Amino acid sequence: MKTFCGRANPTTGAMEWLEEDENYDYHQEIARSRYADMLHDKDRNTKYYQGIRAAVSRVKERGEKAIVLDIGTGTGLLSMMAASAGADFCYAIEVFKPMANAAVKIVEKNGFRDKIKVINKHSTEVTVGPDGDMQCRANILVTELFDTELIGEGALPTYEHAHKYLVQEGCEAVPHRATVYVQLVESKRMWSWNKLFPVHVEAEDGEKMIVSPSEMENCPGVPSVCDIQLNQMPSSDFTILSDVVTMFSVDFSKPVRSASTYYRVQLEPIKSGKAQIVLSWWDIDMDPSGMISCTMAPYWVKSTSAFQWRDHWMQCVYFLPNEEPVLQGEKVYLTACRDQYSVWYKLEKARGEEENKADVHVESPVCRCQAHLLWNRPRFGELNDQNRTQQYVKSLMKVLKTDSVCLCISDGSLLPVLAHYLGAKQVFTLENSALSCSVMEKCMHPARIDLYYPANHLEDKIKIIEARPELLTSSHLEDKKISVLVGEPFFTTSLLPWHNLYFWYARTAVTSHLTSNVTVLPQSASLHMMIVEFQDLWRIRSPCGTCEGFDVQTMDDMINNSLNFRESKEAEPHPLWEYPCKSLSDPQKVLTFDFRKTVPQHCLSTEGSVNLLRKGKSHGAVLWMEYHLAADISVNTGLMQISNEKGNCEWNPHCKQAVYFFSSVIESETLSDLPSAVTYAINFDTKTGEIAMDFKLL
Ligand code: SAH
């Protein structure tokens, strides 16, 4: 069956109707899923296996039959472990149809057809009884339903239901328990992902400042989890204020309650500072004694020998609603509130115990200032990057004149305010949503009238226009012609680096409103490329083959099949500051885009080759954009620096780069025949806005 889906093309902005295969969504889900990453997680797999063997033995020792319920079986892996460990029968529940189908095949291929029944249902739909899905309740409950936040994938309601209806009282559970740990820290870097810092502008008529409206300052933000590879955060980027403490734990062998609740601990800061961030991770004990344990603890907490790279479980960063000064040794209370699917934190000064208990509100945080809805965490970080802002300030100073009429095209950007401060006569900003209009308005009319920082008060000087570029009219612009067109460019619809070329299309659409000698800033952009070897990221695309002795190749075939589905095959966005890699070639500029001219009719293409200068596996090409604001001033969204002779790369921490994996390299086992060069052919189709790439290893 085919269906039609409408979407705005992220690069050209054109509305497109795409004919979608009905399976399109699930191909996307499989291609981008973490199944392969889980199957590569040796530490996780061996511990599950040990835990399952131990649970089966305990049941057998009691003289009972071992009946296993495996909720969320995926490939069927944990059920196959249980069957191999001697379980009498396994019910393997999987809600996602393509996975349930794969599980059936994998179970059969591995010879467990008689021992494992795959049931394609959500666990809450499963029935028990002589005519039910399960003959009887199980006495071993096995699951792996955890995300980085532990409960974000619905583990709690699933367990609650399973204990009520699907398993026996006193059942064994693998894992047996999960424990959530926290540590209080101060970190300007992480805090900059959540609050807008004052922006200082040295204008000709004195220092100006953009201050965040008070609504923004007291806003609790959004409840969505901020999960990162915390191991890539250097210790110089945060200050530890407390020891690691246990926040709460869940015993999965007993009835679980999923209703909203809170947990509170007393903390004694080990250092004075500003409490801003709660770092959090968990571990799971596979057995009651806690001997078989799998931990997500970051590098400064656990020994490096316990280290296992994984991308399906990372660590969480929680932002306190406000920063709180804390003093070494002066007790504070940290409260974790949770609903069924998410966790958030509050910090209070220690008062009388009773007094503190009374006022815990368990409502999930709701963004009141709207900025947290418009700007995601990396975007906050980018807006707070003073170095970057300075590049825009310097280049605006170069191009603006006292009679400049300026039009800004970017989503929720501070550029219009900068342009005004730096002396433009009139500034217009084109916003593509009511949300960005509203946030922009707030940035210009701060509610707080501060004695030190005059309020931004810019309503007459900056006009906000909510319109798509092609619908811009002379009356929006008060019949003025634009002499300076600016953009960061940044658009919320961009996923891959070159999607921000939308600026070029918008520039083309507004051409009739521009003066003949208009200045466009950035004047051009360029696409850059480098061949890299990843330390770990390659694993997410490498085939699994066998896992703990079970043949899971069906899964590989399924992922490959999904990857070959249209756009999944192309480059994928990854924030590379989280994924160490080393450069094997010099970075190379491959395409340039001249924003001073309109988008050409013809395609832009290039071919060439790069030499490989270092030994290593060419896992793929990384691509990124640079924007040339004015002569000699650029902002770079990709490679910042190659930090040593080993070729370790430093990436822009606020942007995702595009990664094009070379599957032939990732799939091969041996390091023989190292290629000496990589040839490329890259084509930018100006009609569709798509970039097609082809690479060959020589
Ligand atoms: N057990 C496998 C896969 C874990 S991924 C392994 O350890 O390798 C979790 C899987 O659980 C996903 O495939 C998801 O679709 C499924 N799932 C999550 N909640 C479920 C529920 N309540 N009922 C059935 N399947 C569920």
Side-chain angles (χ1 to χ4, degrees):
M1 203 183 88
K2 303 273 183 186
T3 51
F4 285 91
C5 296
R7 66 158 197 182
N9 179 303
T11 312
T12 65
M15 207 46 197
E16 293 174 340
W17 290 92
L18 301 170
E19 205 185 358
E20 301 288 24
D21 189 288
E22 69 169 328
N23 296 331
Y24 177 74
D25 271 352
Y26 91 63
H27 281 299
Q28 279 292 305
E29 186 157 346
I30 292 166
R32 297 273 173 262
S33 77
R34 301 180 169 188
Y35 287 109
D37 186 40
M38 295 184 310
L39 295 173
H40 286 302
D41 186 341
K42 183 84 189 150
D43 181 56
R44 176 196 87 119
N45 299 339
T46 52
K47 283 166 180 166
Y48 261 99
Y49 212 167
Q50 287 168 15
I52 288 169
R53 282 199 194 99
V56 171
S57 307
R58 289 196 298 275
V59 168
K60 295 262 168 182
E61 273 162 26
R62 297 201 287 263
E64 295 169 25
K65 276 193 162 180
I67 308 296
V68 175
L69 171 64
D70 170 12
I71 302 180
T73 199
T75 52
L77 179 71
L78 305 182
S79 287
M80 295 193 291
M81 288 178 179
S84 301
D88 295 277
F89 201 78
C90 303
Y91 295 101
I93 320 296
E94 176 53 57
V95 65
F96 186 37
K97 185 140 201 284
M99 272 320 300
N101 292 344
V104 170
K105 283 192 206 149
I106 295 171
V107 161
E108 237 174 69
K109 208 168 168 189
N110 287 279
F112 293 109
R113 201 180 173 167
D114 304 335
K115 291 276 182 200
I116 300 173
K117 178 180 177 188
V118 177
I119 300 166
N120 176 208
K121 278 189 176 181
H122 191 269
S123 59
T124 52
E125 305 293 315
V126 169
T127 55
V128 182
D131 304 317
D133 299 309
M134 298 169 67
Q135 289 286 300
C136 62
R137 287 183 176 227
N139 54 5
I140 300 179
L141 175 56
V142 176
T143 85
E144 202 272 61
L145 301 167
F146 313 114
D147 68 345
T148 296
E149 199 174 24
L150 189 72
I151 64 171
E153 279 172 17
L156 294 177
T158 293
Y159 271 106
E160 182 168 39
H161 174 271
H163 277 288
K164 279 190 186 146
Y165 303 105
L166 307 177
V167 297
Q168 296 170 18
E169 211 185 307
C171 73
E172 300 287 341
V174 183
H176 179 81
R177 94 172 66 70
T179 308
V180 173
Y181 301 90
V182 294
Q183 192 163 29
L184 196 62
V185 304
E186 171 177 340
S187 167
K188 189 171 179 212
R189 173 165 177 197
M190 288 184 260
W191 195 237
S192 83
W193 300 344
N194 186 51
K195 297 281 176 190
L196 186 66
F197 296 165
V199 180
H200 300 262
V201 187
E202 293 285 346
E204 263 165 24
D205 53 345
E207 185 177 321
K208 306 277 173 70
M209 177 113 77
I210 304 175
V211 289
S212 73
S214 56
E215 261 171 301
M216 229 179 258
E217 225 131 86
N218 300 316
C219 180
V222 283
S224 64
V225 66
C226 176
D227 51 346
I228 61 164
Q229 292 281 1
L230 196 51
N231 290 313
Q232 298 310 318
M233 181 71 61
S235 55
S236 52
D237 280 352
F238 58 97
T239 307
I240 288 173
L241 300 179
S242 83
D243 289 329
V244 176
V245 295
T246 299
M247 200 67 226
F248 64 94
S249 59
V250 187
D251 180 342
F252 296 122
S253 71
K254 306 255 158 54
V256 168
R257 277 174 45 90
S258 69
S260 297
T261 186
Y262 69 91
Y263 312 88
R264 170 175 277 187
V265 295
Q266 203 181 50
L267 285 181
E268 207 175 284
I270 54 170
K271 205 170 174 194
S272 300
K274 282 181 277 185
Q276 296 166 325
I277 304 286
V278 176
L279 299 179
S280 173
W281 58 88
W282 48 259
D283 63 21
I284 44 181
D285 289 334
M286 298 299 181
D287 64 330
S289 76
M291 297 284 282
I292 313 163
S293 181
C294 187
T295 177
M296 304 307 126
Y299 65 89
W300 65 93
V301 178
K302 73 172 165 195
S303 70
T304 46
S305 63
F307 194 78
Q308 162 80 49
W309 185 85
R310 45 170 75 92
D311 206 38
H312 62 118
W313 291 332
M314 297 182 267
Q315 294 78 24
C316 297
V317 177
Y318 293 99
F319 305 93
L320 290 171
N322 288 299
E323 61 181 16
E324 289 278 349
V326 294
L327 290 172
Q328 183 180 346
E330 200 160 284
K331 291 190 179 92
V332 289
Y333 285 104
L334 182 65
T335 307
C337 302
R338 68 149 184 82
D339 56 20
Q340 290 194 326
Y341 299 97
S342 66
V343 185
W344 59 98
Y345 285 86
K346 294 184 209 182
L347 188 76
E348 285 143 314
K349 290 274 154 68
R351 291 171 283 163
E353 183 94 18
E354 287 314 305
E355 209 183 324
N356 271 321
K357 258 191 193 137
D359 58 4
V360 174
H361 302 286
V362 198
E363 301 93 56
S364 132
V366 180
C367 169
R368 289 188 297 254
C369 73
Q370 296 184 301
H372 297 95
L373 306 176
L374 178 67
W375 298 324
N376 62 16
R377 275 105 184 197
R379 177 62 174 160
F380 263 98
E382 187 172 52
L383 290 172
N384 284 324
D385 181 340
Q386 288 277 2
N387 266 335
R388 180 175 181 274
T389 304
Q390 281 319 310
Q391 305 308 309
Y392 289 98
V393 167
K394 271 199 283 180
S395 45
L396 280 169
M397 281 177 32
K398 280 195 181 189
V399 305
L400 287 176
K401 305 199 183 78
T402 46
D403 63 350
S404 292
V405 178
C406 188
L407 173 65
C408 178
I409 306 182
S410 270
D411 290 346
S413 168
L414 301 178
L415 280 185
V417 187
L418 292 182
H420 164 69
Y421 279 163
L422 294 167
K425 182 170 163 215
Q426 173 75 56
V427 180
F428 297 96
T429 177
L430 205 54
E431 301 292 331
N432 83 350
S433 68
L435 180 66
S436 68
C437 285
S438 152
V439 174
M440 288 314 290
E441 222 154 83
K442 283 181 193 160
C443 287
M444 293 178 211
H445 305 236
R448 186 181 71 178
I449 304 297
D450 201 299
L451 281 177
Y452 301 102
Y453 310 134
N456 296 336
H457 272 320
L458 308 171
E459 55 273 27
D460 307 331
K461 302 291 180 189
I462 306 175
K463 291 256 148 54
I464 303 170
I465 305 166
E466 186 187 344
R468 296 178 53 79
E470 61 276 19
L471 301 179
L472 185 71
T473 61
S474 312
S475 65
H476 282 129
L477 301 175
E478 299 162 355
D479 294 319
K480 297 190 173 96
K481 288 276 183 199
I482 301 302
S483 58
V484 180
L485 179 68
V486 300
E488 295 188 28
F490 174 89
F491 300 99
T492 50
T493 43
S494 298
L495 300 171
L496 289 162
W498 48 86
H499 289 165
N500 282 324
L501 286 175
Y502 175 61
F503 178 72
W504 202 13
Y505 290 82
R507 178 259 179 264
T508 304
V510 303
T511 299
S512 65
H513 302 289
L514 308 178
T515 60
S516 56
N517 58 349
V518 65
T519 304
V520 183
L521 184 166
Q523 58 190 28
S524 66
S526 48
L527 179 68
H528 297 247
M529 183 208 66
M530 189 170 74
I531 309 300
V532 304
E533 175 182 61
F534 287 107
Q535 189 177 301
D536 298 295
L537 190 64
W538 61 274
R539 291 175 208 278
I540 66 166
R541 290 286 158 262
S542 88
C544 311
T546 60
C547 179
E548 297 302 306
F550 304 105
D551 180 345
V552 292
Q553 211 198 315
T554 307
M555 187 70 219
D556 295 331
D557 299 343
M558 193 166 148
I559 293 172
N560 262 332
N561 183 29
S562 293
L563 281 172
N564 287 332
F565 229 74
R566 227 189 41 215
E567 68 205 62
S568 320
K569 199 171 156 186
E570 297 158 15
E572 29 186 293
H574 290 284
L576 289 186
W577 74 266
E578 294 184 67
Y579 303 99
C581 65
K582 69 178 195 181
S583 79
L584 299 185
S585 75
D586 283 333
Q588 181 125 339
K589 188 199 279 185
V590 287
L591 282 176
T592 53
F593 312 92
D594 187 351
F595 296 160
R596 288 168 297 194
K597 305 204 179 95
T598 55
V599 177
Q601 296 289 313
H602 57 84
C603 294
L604 302 180
S605 41
T606 181
E607 281 181 7
S609 85
V610 282
N611 291 330
L612 297 177
L613 310 169
R614 284 192 189 81
K615 261 211 174 112
K617 274 200 160 188
S618 303
H619 288 136
V622 177
L623 297 107
W624 67 92
M625 298 288 285
E626 277 186 32
Y627 297 101
H628 309 291
L629 303 183
D632 303 328
I633 307 177
S634 297
V635 291
N636 179 348
T637 67
L639 183 71
M640 307 310 287
Q641 146 176 26
I642 294 176
S643 51
N644 55 21
E645 67 289 354
K646 285 192 201 126
N648 294 338
C649 300
E650 261 173 55
W651 299 97
N652 181 318
H654 314 301
C655 299
K656 288 186 180 178
Q657 292 75 33
V659 179
Y660 186 104
F661 287 104
F662 299 157
S663 48
S664 61
V665 176
I666 288 173
E667 282 159 24
S668 81
E669 304 273 295
T670 52
L671 240 174
S672 62
D673 297 340
L674 277 183
S676 57
V678 177
T679 64
Y680 58 84
I682 298 177
N683 181 58
F684 176 57
D685 182 335
T686 53
K687 294 250 161 26
T688 63
E690 270 160 35
I691 292 194
M693 282 169 270
D694 193 29
F695 295 92
K696 282 196 185 67
L697 285 84
L698 296 185

